[in-house]
């Protein structure tokens, strides 16, 4: 169908926010290819599940037959590649799936996209885009006085997760340079917002604090991240897709650099106000310093001048307003939380935070 886009990993945190925003603000058809790993959740897309513009296909990006069938049947004008294993701590405990999905899966998707794109009529070939969604973690770690990462910063990944994303970014670059596939790559900072799986810092802290459980902070809690509200990221992706220059990469960030301790204390303070009768108040009494993550990157910061200057995108949400909306969302979605924190989640928490 003309104007259809193919989204991979659309049942995850950012992918589902992207699809919901796309359907409401753009409204052209979306095919969502997702394997439904522990991180994929069709509940996130419940409100559009019977919308005729949206179709879900359960499948693996590494499965060449599934991917080539989707290209042949739906003739998408663009691919937005979100599918990935995305949690650093899991990549440390078991890197295999990260290499399989993030590296080999991206390679398979690129190969099938190339085969499809090469056979398109000229006018459609010109318009086709392959947008690869990546991370600031590929650039490695900054010292306290270092300048923020820009698009020319050399890659220096430190975790199996960031190394697998860096490898995928290199493949995407090579497919543009070698074959002319019209690719775009975005490198974004830490996202937060609705539908984030509660293994990541912000939703984990909201859930634990509101249920009287310890708030685990790795090391000294002074590691710095740049935080971006997920819907701002989704808007940035739409700008890059619509107006980005092919073959280019764009940094995306929130201009909101904060250390982990500050993040946790902010969440605790908002919960003190919203839930004064919780088991443990003030919630900050639940803060517990735990063993540091191996190879823990000290600081990420993003220079976003390129996307601001060239595409006119800038984040709308401040951290203060975004975190409040996020906390409220988690407090109002107990059913969603109950579902995602069943068996497999409990197993991860029990193993990872043991001792
Ligand atoms: P997520 O873990 O919440 O979701 C990943 C989705 O991909 C899930 O729905 C999962 O089922 C699906 N998936 C995994 N393996 C698959 C496979 N082999 N085939 C098909 N589907 C598969 O991740 P997220 O936080 O939404 O991140 C999405 C993308 O954005 C990732 O590529 C990630 O590297 C990147 N990114 C994330 C952040 C962040 O802060 N979360 C920041 C920058 C970039
Ligand atoms: P995370 O949400 O896992 O994102 P990333 O590792 O991709 O940046 O972690 C954000 C920061 O929070 C990171 O510095 C690690 C830290 N962190 C904790 O201190 N405790 C935790 O339980 C988790 C999950 C993360």
């Amino acid at each position: 169908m003309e104007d259809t886009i193919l989204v991979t990993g659309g049942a995850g945190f950012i992918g589902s926010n992207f699809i919901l925003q796309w359907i409401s603000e753009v409204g052209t058809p979306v095919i969502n290819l997702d394997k439904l790993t522990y991180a994929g959740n069709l509940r996130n897309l419940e409100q559009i599940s019977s919308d005729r513009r949206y179709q879900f296909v359960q499948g693996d990006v590494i499965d060449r037959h599934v991917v080539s069938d989707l290209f042949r049947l739906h003739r998408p004008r663009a691919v937005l590649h979100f599918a990935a294993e995305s949690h650093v701590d899991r990549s440390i405990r078991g890197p295999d799936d990260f290499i399989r999905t993030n590296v080999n899966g991206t390679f398979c998707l690129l190969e099938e996209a190339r085969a499809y794109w090469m056979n398109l009529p000229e006018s459609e070939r010109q318009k086709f885009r392959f947008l690869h969604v990546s991370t600031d973690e590929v650039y490695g770690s900054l010292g306290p006085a270092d300048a923020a990462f820009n698009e020319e910063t050399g890659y220096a990944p430190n975790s199996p997760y960031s190394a697998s994303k860096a490898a995928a970014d290199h493949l995407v670059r090579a497919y543009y340079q070698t074959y002319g596939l019209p690719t775009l790559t975005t490198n974004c900072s830490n996202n937060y917002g609705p539908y984030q799986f509660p293994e990541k810092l912000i939703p984990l802290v909201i859930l634990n604090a509101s249920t009287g459980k310890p708030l685990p902070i790795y090391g000294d809690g002074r590691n710095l991240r740049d935080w971006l509200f997920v819907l701002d990221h989704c808007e940035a992706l739409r700008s890059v897709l619509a107006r980005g220059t092919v073959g280019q990469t764009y940094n995306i960030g929130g201009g909101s650099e904060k250390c982990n301790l500050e993040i946790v204390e902010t969440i605790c303070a908002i919960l003190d106000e919203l839930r004064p009768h919780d088991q443990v108040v003030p919630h900050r009494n639940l803060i517990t310093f735990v063993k540091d993550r191996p190879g823990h990157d000290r600081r990420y910061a993003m220079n976003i001048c390129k996307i601001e200057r060239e595409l006119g995108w800038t984040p709308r949400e401040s951290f203060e307003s975004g975190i409040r909306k996020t906390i409220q969302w988690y407090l109002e979605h107990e059913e969603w939380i109950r579902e995602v924190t069943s068996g497999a989640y409990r197993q991860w928490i029990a193993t990872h935070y043991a001792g």
Side-chain angles (χ1 to χ4, degrees):
M1 199 187 304
E2 199 170 330
D3 258 1
T4 297
I5 60 165
L6 171 61
V7 170
T8 71
F13 163 48
I14 305 174
S16 56
N17 277 288
F18 179 85
I19 293 175
L20 292 173
Q21 191 188 68
W22 181 277
I23 290 291
S24 88
E25 290 181 25
V26 182
T28 57
V30 179
I31 309 296
N32 174 15
L33 172 66
D34 197 296
K35 184 179 172 183
L36 296 184
T37 67
Y38 78 92
N41 184 358
L42 288 182
R43 269 277 208 161
N44 302 359
L45 295 152
E46 213 172 19
Q47 54 185 286
I48 56 160
S49 61
S50 53
D51 191 305
R52 58 179 178 76
R53 296 166 296 179
Y54 168 71
Q55 189 179 327
F56 171 68
V57 178
Q58 183 166 9
D60 195 320
V61 289
I62 216 166
D63 186 335
R64 301 275 290 260
H65 294 295
V66 170
V67 175
S68 73
D69 280 354
L70 287 179
F71 277 117
R72 192 170 41 77
L73 283 173
H74 298 285
R75 304 184 60 78
R77 70 160 173 96
V79 175
L80 286 108
H81 180 35
F82 294 91
E85 289 293 335
S86 69
H87 190 34
V88 174
D89 293 325
R90 286 186 193 252
S91 83
I92 295 167
R93 287 179 182 271
D96 299 55
D97 284 346
F98 288 72
I99 305 307
R100 186 184 175 281
T101 290
N102 301 3
V103 185
N104 296 329
T106 301
F107 165 69
C108 291
L109 195 63
L110 282 166
E111 271 295 89
E112 291 306 325
R114 178 167 77 94
Y116 163 73
W117 168 76
M118 274 174 21
N119 290 309
L120 286 174
E122 183 55 26
S123 63
E124 290 179 40
R125 266 169 67 102
Q126 295 274 344
K127 281 192 258 164
F128 183 77
R129 297 289 182 269
F130 184 105
L131 195 165
H132 172 59
V133 181
S134 190
T135 166
D136 59 355
E137 305 195 22
V138 297
Y139 296 123
S141 185
L142 291 168
D146 289 342
F149 301 130
N150 64 44
E151 288 80 357
E152 308 304 320
T153 304
Y155 276 28
N158 292 318
S159 71
Y161 164 66
S162 53
S164 68
K165 293 296 290 186
D169 294 9
H170 289 324
L171 282 170
V172 173
R173 177 190 159 90
Y175 271 64
Y176 170 70
Q177 297 290 347
T178 304
Y179 305 113
L181 185 72
T183 62
L184 296 155
T185 296
T186 55
N187 294 91
C188 188
S189 62
N190 285 60
N191 283 215
Y192 67 98
Y195 304 113
Q196 187 167 32
F197 193 75
E199 63 187 355
K200 305 277 167 67
L201 180 71
I202 287 182
L204 180 90
V205 166
I206 299 171
L207 254 64
N208 282 13
S210 57
T211 50
K213 299 200 185 92
L215 311 179
I217 296 191
Y218 299 159
D220 63 1
R222 300 281 167 201
N223 302 66
L224 290 152
R225 298 289 183 266
D226 169 51
W227 293 94
L228 178 68
F229 190 62
V230 64
L231 292 174
D232 277 336
H233 183 191
C234 297
E235 278 198 355
L237 294 174
R238 281 170 39 212
S239 303
V240 173
L241 181 65
R243 300 189 303 285
T245 305
V246 295
Q248 293 283 308
T249 72
Y250 293 88
N251 279 358
I252 304 171
S256 178
E257 222 187 298
K258 299 197 183 295
C259 77
N260 296 336
L261 196 53
E262 184 182 350
I263 296 290
V264 176
E265 284 180 338
T266 303
I267 295 170
C268 288
I270 296 173
L271 284 173
D272 288 346
E273 184 194 310
L274 298 178
R275 299 187 38 134
H277 305 300
D278 271 347
Q279 276 160 269
V280 180
V281 177
H283 293 84
R284 68 187 312 283
N285 288 352
L286 291 164
I287 289 176
T288 313
F289 289 90
V290 300
K291 194 164 163 284
D292 208 354
R293 170 189 281 174
H296 194 178
D297 286 336
R298 193 66 176 165
R299 175 176 170 234
Y300 306 140
M302 290 297 255
N303 176 326
I304 58 166
C305 290
K306 181 175 174 181
I307 190 170
E308 287 184 325
R309 188 180 61 243
E310 291 186 15
L311 306 182
W313 174 87
T314 191
R316 289 173 197 269
E317 203 78 55
S318 69
F319 184 75
E320 291 62 34
S321 60
I323 193 69
R324 205 167 260 279
K325 284 185 186 169
T326 304
I327 293 172
Q328 253 145 1
W329 187 88
Y330 279 90
L331 296 181
E332 285 162 9
H333 288 79
E334 281 182 8
E335 182 64 21
W336 184 91
I337 292 164
R338 236 193 320 279
E339 276 184 26
V340 303
T341 54
S342 62
Y345 176 77
R346 281 208 284 273
Q347 178 79 42
W348 163 255
I349 297 292
T351 314
H352 183 61
Y353 296 100

